[in-house]
């Protein structure tokens, strides 16, 4: 794994984050998220949300349920805050990914022998907007040997006056069978901006060929 974070605020802090942790079951928790706004206020909310999700990850082995619990927390304790997030669990043998998304841009998946592509995930709502009309959903993916999973925040692919789909397509073109840190550098050089106007978080997970 490798990651990058570039703040879009002059003070070097913001609301985007990534997180990786091992669960008691041996599954690996992988998180990417984005609290709306910039600067210290967003960073404070981000810290609370990040810690809460770690706690909920110990309560349930379903990413969708963890995000449901987090949604209730955000609505009650962080009223007025809008947060997007993706929470994935990777199996101990690293072959399976269970992932749920809350209003967040879809990850990019590379499978050897095929072009990388964004993953079609159910469009569940962001955290904090109070939408209980339908349950959140978890999608199961296969992470093949040599496969790559890329999670990111919208600051990486979103440009003023340009559809976000354009940035996501450019990102997918860069992703391939490359060591994680080298791939992070290639993505930031090709897709990222030297001086981003929004926070950028990027997390790359590569499964070994062995």
């Amino acid at each position: 794994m490798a990651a990058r974070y570039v703040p879009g605020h002059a003070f070097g802090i913001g609301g985007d984050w990534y997180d990786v942790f091992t669960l008691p079951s041996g599954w690996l928790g992988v998180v990417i998220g984005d609290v709306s706004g910039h600067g210290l206020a967003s960073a404070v909310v981000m810290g609370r949300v990040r810690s809460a999700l770690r706690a909920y990850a110990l309560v349930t082995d379903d990413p969708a349920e963890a995000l449901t619990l987090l949604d209730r927390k955000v609505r009650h304790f962080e009223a007025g805050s809008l947060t997007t997030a993706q929470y994935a669990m990777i199996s101990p043998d690293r072959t399976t990914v269970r992932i749920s998304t809350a209003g967040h841009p879809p990850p990019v998946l590379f499978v050897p022998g095929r072009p990388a592509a964004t993953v079609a995930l159910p469009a569940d709502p962001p955290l904090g907007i109070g939408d209980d009309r339908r349950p959140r959903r978890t999608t199961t993916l296969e992470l093949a040997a040599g496969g790559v999973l890329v999670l990111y925040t919208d600051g990486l692919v979103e440009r003023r006056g340009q559809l976000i789909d354009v940035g996501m397509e450019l990102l997918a073109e860069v992703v391939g069978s490359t060591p994680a840190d080298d791939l992070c550098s290639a993505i930031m050089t090709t897709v990222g901006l030297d001086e981003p106007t929004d926070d950028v978080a990027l997390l790359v997970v590569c499964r070994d060929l062995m």
Side-chain angles (χ1 to χ4, degrees), residues 91-202:
S91 61
D93 64 4
R94 307 308 185 225
T95 62
T96 302
V97 181
R98 304 184 69 225
I99 186 168
S100 184
T101 188
H104 203 81
V108 171
L109 180 66
F110 168 75
V111 177
R114 302 183 210 163
T118 55
V119 180
L121 296 178
D124 293 333
L127 308 173
I129 66 172
D131 188 348
D132 287 327
R133 291 174 294 179
R134 60 180 184 269
R136 295 183 180 276
R137 293 157 289 183
T138 294
T139 300
T140 300
L141 309 173
E142 178 185 351
L143 187 59
V148 180
L149 184 68
V150 178
L151 287 75
Y152 56 95
T153 55
D154 60 4
L156 178 69
V157 296
E158 197 169 42
R159 301 289 179 270
R160 188 172 299 173
Q162 174 182 288
L163 292 174
I164 193 172
D165 292 358
V166 175
M168 291 193 295
E169 289 173 3
L170 178 59
L171 171 61
E173 290 174 2
V174 179
V175 176
S177 183
T178 309
D181 194 67
D182 292 344
L183 183 53
C184 274
S185 296
I187 290 171
M188 295 303 296
T189 300
T190 306
V191 184
L193 293 172
D194 292 336
E195 296 184 6
T197 56
D198 193 7
D199 302 333
V200 174
L202 170 67

Side-chain angles (χ1 to χ4, degrees), residues 59-78:
V59 174
T60 176
D61 59 2
D62 181 4
E65 184 177 355
L67 291 181
T68 298
L69 294 169
L70 187 61
D71 184 31
R72 294 173 185 167
K73 188 268 183 193
V74 170
R75 278 187 279 163
H76 184 76
F77 290 106
E78 316 296 345

Side-chain angles (χ1 to χ4, degrees), residues 5-6 14-18 33-35 37 42 46 153-155 198-201:
Y5 171 72
V6 181
D16 288 20
W17 88 97
Y18 60 86
D34 181 356
V35 176
S42 295
M46 178 272 289
T153 55
D154 60 4
D198 193 7
D199 302 333
V200 174

Side-chain angles (χ1 to χ4, degrees), residues 12-29:
I13 55 176
D16 288 20
W17 88 97
Y18 60 86
D19 198 9
V20 179
F21 46 84
T22 302
L23 295 163
S25 61
W27 284 66
L28 188 70

Side-chain angles (χ1 to χ4, degrees), residues 22-61:
T22 302
L23 295 163
S25 61
W27 284 66
L28 188 70
V30 178
V31 182
I32 195 91
D34 181 356
V35 176
S36 61
H38 303 283
L40 181 59
S42 295
V44 169
V45 174
M46 178 272 289
R48 294 172 183 159
V49 171
R50 178 178 180 270
S51 295
L53 183 51
R54 280 194 166 207
Y56 297 140
L58 295 174
V59 174
T60 176
D61 59 2

